[in-house]
Amino acid sequence: MFEQWQNYQYILDNQNVPFKLLAAITTPSTKIDEGILSQPRTKVFRWPVIYQIAQCSLAREKDPIAEFIIRELIDLLEAHNMKPFSGFSGNDVETLKGLYATNMKMGVFFSDVLAMLKENLESKQRVNISVKTFGYEIETWKGYHDIYVGNDFSMHQNNLKLWGWVGCYFSLNGPKLQLYSGPDGRGLKREAIDKAFKGNDFQYDDEERNYVSYFRDLSSNLIVNSKKNELVRYLAEEIEDVMIKIFSKLQRIK
């Protein structure tokens, strides 16, 4: 990437234009070369600086379309704690919520996984297990360099309810498909919950403070030559198998 950066800079330097600025927007999963990050601060703009530039531009912008785009950018930065507020560290690895087209594809993909999960349960006449989906979201947390994209859902069996999340966890090591779940409500002993989830290769999420949460990596990977329909089917079948086992264990101890 750094070599490409230098090539673009060379082309720009040889253009007869009064104002020259090379800029790029990368996806959250892109690992930026150290050669770029080590450039002078005048060449690499952090998100707090972008926020300030956007605020100044908005004050003098007259074109309604440009004004709308700038406001959208400001709202995006504020929503993801990327504005210069008290406690923000300029050394954090900042992430952009994502390109619209990419978000649309990811949202449709995980929605398809949950739709197939529901179809599988119905086709096997497991009418006592229902699936409810709650839509696609992107989550980031201040102080962390990671990003989570995926869909929330819940599953019910009689009077037992589990919440769930299926999605992709992006870090500097690349994307990884994961499943999160936990009890939605009270009435179960913590020891029983631990046994049910950990017996199915889940780990306890000890960073979550608001509710009991477990997670596990899914066996499929996001790779370039993955066929979407096959990956949707594999994920749906894997989630179905795991969640039915958890329901079975928890129902026996209720």
Side-chain angles (χ1 to χ4, degrees):
M1 182 182 289
F2 186 44
E3 183 179 350
Q4 187 179 36
W5 174 284
Q6 290 176 313
N7 290 337
Y8 286 146
Q9 188 65 61
Y10 175 79
I11 295 172
L12 183 63
D13 290 341
N14 285 277
Q15 296 295 312
N16 185 22
V17 292
F19 180 72
K20 301 178 182 181
L21 176 64
L22 179 62
I25 296 177
T26 62
T27 61
S29 59
T30 303
K31 187 173 182 179
I32 309 300
D33 291 355
E34 290 298 323
I36 294 177
L37 296 177
S38 64
Q39 295 295 300
R41 295 183 65 87
T42 54
K43 289 191 174 183
V44 180
F45 290 166
R46 300 285 180 176
W47 284 116
V49 178
I50 299 294
Y51 183 89
Q52 292 168 337
I53 293 175
Q55 287 280 38
C56 292
S57 299
L58 186 61
R60 61 174 180 267
E61 186 57 61
K62 303 299 182 184
D63 182 76
I65 296 178
E67 183 179 346
F68 170 78
I69 293 173
I70 294 172
R71 288 189 183 278
E72 289 291 297
L73 174 60
I74 290 174
D75 288 346
L76 178 67
L77 298 179
E78 290 179 346
H80 289 274
N81 294 333
M82 293 179 182
K83 66 175 183 176
F85 64 98
S86 178
F88 184 92
S89 171
N91 294 323
D92 286 344
V93 177
E94 302 86 6
T95 54
L96 182 62
K97 184 174 182 181
L99 300 176
Y100 179 77
T102 303
N103 283 338
M104 289 293 290
K105 290 179 182 178
M106 295 291 277
V108 169
F109 172 75
F110 289 116
S111 293
D112 287 348
V113 170
L114 294 175
M116 182 162 287
L117 169 62
K118 188 174 182 179
E119 289 176 10
N120 289 348
L121 292 171
E122 291 174 351
S123 66
K124 296 174 183 177
Q125 296 185 337
R126 295 185 180 273
V127 292
N128 65 329
I129 300 180
S130 61
V131 180
K132 185 176 181 180
T133 62
F134 298 99
Y136 169 80
E137 284 188 309
I138 291 184
E139 299 287 347
T140 59
W141 284 270
K142 181 176 175 289
Y144 291 87
H145 302 160
D146 309 320
I147 187 167
Y148 292 78
V149 301
N151 282 54
D152 291 313
F153 66 98
S154 66
M155 295 182 70
H156 301 248
Q157 185 182 48
N158 301 326
N159 60 341
L160 180 60
K161 181 180 179 182
L162 299 175
W163 65 266
W165 178 90
V166 58
C168 189
Y169 156 60
F170 289 94
S171 70
L172 293 179
N173 296 322
K176 184 178 294 184
L177 292 168
Q178 289 188 322
L179 173 66
Y180 277 72
S181 188
D184 191 345
R186 300 178 180 179
L188 293 172
K189 293 183 178 180
R190 176 61 183 277
E191 295 80 4
I193 298 170
D194 257 9
K195 187 175 181 180
F197 279 94
K198 291 181 178 178
N200 285 283
D201 299 323
F202 279 81
Q203 301 177 52
Y204 177 65
D205 183 6
D206 54 11
E207 292 188 359
E208 179 54 60
R209 298 288 182 265
N210 297 322
Y211 46 86
V212 180
S213 175
Y214 298 85
F215 70 94
R216 60 169 279 170
D217 293 342
L218 294 171
S219 59
S220 300
N221 294 312
L222 281 179
I223 55 178
V224 175
N225 60 350
S226 295
K227 293 182 179 179
K228 178 194 170 186
N229 291 339
E230 288 185 1
L231 188 54
V232 167
R233 178 167 58 84
Y234 291 153
L235 290 178
E237 290 175 352
E238 185 174 1
I239 294 169
E240 176 190 3
D241 180 62
V242 170
M243 297 301 286
I244 286 177
K245 288 178 180 177
I246 292 175
F247 270 114
S248 178
K249 280 194 174 183
L250 291 177
Q251 290 287 11
R252 287 201 297 268
I253 60 177
K254 276 187 70 66

